[in-house]
Amino acid sequence: MTAPRKNASRLKRWGWLFAFVALAATAQELDGIRYRVLASGSADSAAETAQRMLALLAQGDIQRAAEMSNAPERRRQVLDDYRARVGESEFRRIFAQYASPPNRLVAEVAIGERHLLVWDLADAGHALAGQYFVRTGERFILDDTPNEERARLQRVLAAYRGGRIKP
């Protein structure tokens, strides 16, 4: 009876070691900024929230998309202003195109509860665009408020854009 318990204990210790090694493999540092790069499909990803938001914007539903922000009135105003500048049909086309091939999500970076999604916009000459999210409880929302972690993520995005980090 002690052998199964001993084996279970040993497996548990090895499991923790493997989890630690996997986490360390994704930990990165840039100019003193420590961050994690999430694997595609990670359970801790903000990508699903981004896809839902982009789908709402492609439908022209600014109000519901803005509600997915930690500064919803500010986000609604920014989106309304953008739609007024480019027109309704172009607004919808751009956001529909944003999340469809050949455009693609190339990286997700996290510092604490804040995440940066890096998109390769093939339709815009392979420009790299970023979206910032923050975990609030069990869900992610768009991070529209200035803070230190977001500022660090902006520096990480600048490094991607400058070729210092490869997607």
Side-chain angles (χ1 to χ4, degrees):
M1 285 268 187
T2 59
R5 277 194 209 137
K6 196 175 199 180
N7 286 339
S9 177
R10 199 174 290 150
L11 283 172
K12 188 175 182 179
R13 271 185 293 188
W14 278 105
W16 280 108
L17 177 64
F18 285 126
F20 176 76
V21 169
L23 179 63
T26 63
Q28 306 281 331
E29 186 169 330
L30 169 78
D31 301 334
I33 301 170
R34 297 176 81 50
Y35 62 92
R36 295 180 293 128
V37 176
L38 278 68
S40 179
S42 170
D44 187 34
S45 176
E48 186 178 312
T49 301
Q51 293 291 347
R52 279 195 315 271
M53 180 177 286
L54 291 169
L56 288 169
L57 293 169
Q59 296 166 12
D61 193 342
I62 288 175
Q63 185 60 40
R64 285 187 42 215
E67 290 169 2
M68 297 174 73
S69 167
N70 59 3
E73 286 306 310
R74 179 173 164 221
R75 175 55 45 188
R76 186 190 53 72
Q77 186 61 53
V78 167
L79 292 168
D80 280 339
D81 291 349
Y82 182 63
R83 181 176 56 190
R85 204 168 63 247
V86 300
E88 179 72 28
S89 63
E90 182 66 0
F91 179 90
R92 289 179 182 212
R93 186 193 69 76
I94 286 169
F95 284 106
Q97 190 175 34
Y98 198 87
S100 61
N103 300 321
R104 63 190 177 91
L105 180 63
V106 294
E108 183 168 356
V109 175
I111 297 176
E113 296 298 313
R114 288 185 159 72
H115 289 229
L116 162 67
L117 299 183
V118 181
W119 296 88
D120 175 0
L121 303 179
D123 295 334
H126 291 282
L128 295 178
Q131 286 181 301
Y132 302 92
F133 290 87
V134 61
R135 177 182 290 286
T136 60
E138 293 296 314
R139 66 186 187 113
F140 283 95
I141 58 174
L142 195 65
D143 188 8
D144 278 324
T145 57
N147 58 71
E148 183 57 37
E149 286 176 334
R150 182 175 169 168
R152 288 187 203 128
L153 288 170
Q154 288 170 326
R155 293 197 298 271
V156 172
L157 178 59
Y160 272 100
R161 287 177 173 157
R164 291 179 57 203
I165 303 174
K166 299 293 180 197

